[in-house]
Amino acid sequence: MTFRQKNLLGIEPLHPEEIRTILDLSDRYVDLNRGASKHSDVLSGLTQINMFFENSTRTQASFELAGKRLGADVMNMAMQASSIKKGETLIDTALTLNAMHPDLLVVRHPQSGAVNLLAEKVNCAVLNAGDGRHEHPTQALLDALTIRRTKGRLHRLTVAICGDIAHSRVARSNILLLGKMENRVRVIGPPTLMPAGIADFGVEVFDDMAEGLREADVVMMLRLQRERMDGGFIPSPREYYHRFGLDAQKLAHARDDAIVMHPGPMNRGVEIDGTIADDINRSVIQEQVEMGVAVRMAAMDLLARNLRAVPEGVMV
Ligand code: NCD
């Protein structure tokens, strides 16, 4: 079992063996979560604080559930109502919370790099629940677990990530993870939604769905991240749907057994047709949500083991 991290800030620092360790443990938590009694005490006595500076439904709920199922004391900070609104800096808030001796701090923030900065100031384990357009490691891990369980492997697959690549931390973390596990990654979207230098990430770039989806094993759709757009990146949602929205006709270019994924929240009729999203033979969107709880349990379990391995009072 290999997992040497103090924090989970991104996929970038992880070794493939560490990714496998998280996924293997997640499989065990999937079984626990499907059982009648969903409780374990591996985080018993530990305090988990969730700080979400950006809206979240799935991620916050599943981190909360994951902590509770593992027996931690879980506190959700209402960031809208916090002193941040009174002008306190992120670092001051972090130091205040740190003084309450949390063991696990789960943070989502609109600025790329904010979570890494915060991790330098506190002595508990920090989990990045999404920072700006930078990374969203637990999302990429839950996507990987979903792929591995439905396809039976996590290597030598062709994965097409489609839509707003430029503003997406989900795309970035997935590109890193899938690359480390030796998959072929394609990104598809309009040139206005492709980040500069994307080809340096070892991906193939397409601006045509029919071409990009050819023979794909996995089709991952992304939401247009309008909150991160400061101008007109697309002509209109209707035009965007016509060219890049996933419907049966476009999906027909992928392999017959290709699975359809979406991290949520979904905009039906913009990036994906509702009937495709609901097609239980193709869509694994609900499985992704289920895997999310298990992956967050595994990640917090592993970080807590490393916390306990460090002698009391020693900062690493
Ligand atoms: C994603 C996010 O917040 O980055 N959602 C999620 O965590 N499930 C994607 C998105 O907001 O579109």
Side-chain angles (χ1 to χ4, degrees):
M1 191 116 147
T2 319
F3 188 79
R4 296 203 184 83
Q5 309 289 322
K6 176 181 180 273
N7 302 306
L8 181 61
L9 299 176
I11 297 299
E12 195 157 24
L14 298 185
H15 190 273
E17 204 46 54
E18 293 180 304
I19 293 171
R20 258 177 238 120
T21 297
I22 301 177
L23 299 184
D24 291 348
L25 186 57
S26 302
D27 274 328
R28 295 186 10 216
Y29 281 124
V30 173
D31 294 340
L32 179 77
N33 289 338
R34 287 182 180 177
S37 169
K38 301 171 177 59
H39 268 279
S40 151
D41 58 4
V42 302
L43 298 186
S44 170
L46 300 187
T47 301
Q48 172 192 338
I49 300 183
N50 297 334
M51 287 167 83
F52 280 67
F53 296 89
E54 238 186 33
N55 293 343
S56 172
T57 311
R58 271 152 287 265
T59 308
Q60 177 157 5
S62 72
F63 265 114
E64 182 176 351
L65 206 52
K68 286 181 171 162
R69 286 192 179 161
L70 295 182
D73 294 315
V74 185
M75 182 177 89
N76 289 307
M77 286 283 292
M79 298 319 297
Q80 317 303 38
S82 80
S83 290
I84 288 275
K85 286 274 180 284
K86 298 181 190 161
E88 190 174 72
T89 67
L90 169 68
I91 300 303
D92 282 332
T93 306
L95 292 176
T96 303
L97 289 176
N98 194 44
M100 298 179 192
H101 298 292
D103 302 284
L104 297 151
L105 203 52
V106 179
V107 188
R108 168 170 284 193
H109 199 278
Q111 272 159 350
S112 307
V115 184
N116 290 53
L117 182 70
L118 188 142
E120 288 170 16
K121 310 286 176 192
V122 297
N123 36 22
C124 57
V126 177
L127 292 101
N128 182 0
D131 65 323
R133 58 179 82 174
H134 178 225
E135 281 236 38
H136 191 353
T138 55
Q139 180 68 45
L141 288 161
L142 76 86
D143 290 338
L145 184 65
T146 309
I147 295 172
R148 196 173 82 164
R149 289 173 67 102
T150 43
K151 291 279 152 210
R153 67 180 199 275
L154 188 60
H155 60 273
R156 281 199 260 127
L157 291 167
T158 300
V159 181
I161 307 178
C162 318
D164 183 0
I165 310 293
H167 301 102
S168 175
R169 53 198 176 207
V170 175
R172 206 183 132 81
S173 290
N174 264 298
I175 290 168
L176 291 168
L177 189 153
L178 293 165
K180 281 178 198 269
M181 306 313 275
E182 291 174 19
N183 295 284
R184 184 168 174 185
V185 183
R186 300 179 183 163
V187 289
I188 316 173
T192 47
L193 294 176
M194 283 296 161
I198 181 72
D200 299 343
F201 278 83
V203 298
E204 294 171 87
V205 185
F206 296 86
D207 67 358
D208 180 85
M209 288 287 273
E211 273 177 48
L213 290 182
R214 195 162 299 145
E215 293 297 307
D217 297 289
V218 177
V219 182
M220 195 180 284
M221 302 309 299
L222 300 171
R223 182 177 66 88
L224 291 170
Q225 310 265 304
R226 291 174 193 277
E227 68 277 25
R228 284 186 244 291
M229 295 182 190
D230 50 7
F233 284 82
I234 57 159
S236 72
R238 207 163 151 243
E239 169 73 15
Y240 181 82
Y241 180 69
H242 177 68
R243 287 204 55 204
F244 297 100
L246 187 67
D247 56 14
Q249 211 188 342
K250 296 192 191 83
L251 183 57
H253 294 281
R255 288 176 61 99
D256 290 343
D257 61 353
I259 54 168
V260 174
M261 306 181 76
H262 195 305
M266 229 175 345
N267 287 310
R268 292 167 185 257
V270 181
E271 73 270 7
I272 191 165
D273 173 31
T275 52
I276 298 283
D278 297 334
D279 180 351
I280 54 164
N281 296 314
R282 307 306 293 267
S283 162
V284 293
I285 296 170
Q286 296 308 321
E287 280 84 345
Q288 287 174 271
V289 178
E290 181 187 4
M291 296 307 124
V293 180
V295 155
R296 287 162 183 134
M297 289 166 88
M300 291 197 291
D301 177 352
L302 291 166
L303 290 172
R305 292 183 204 194
N306 291 351
L307 270 182
R308 289 187 169 118
V310 177
E312 196 89 6
V314 174
M315 273 188 73
V316 283

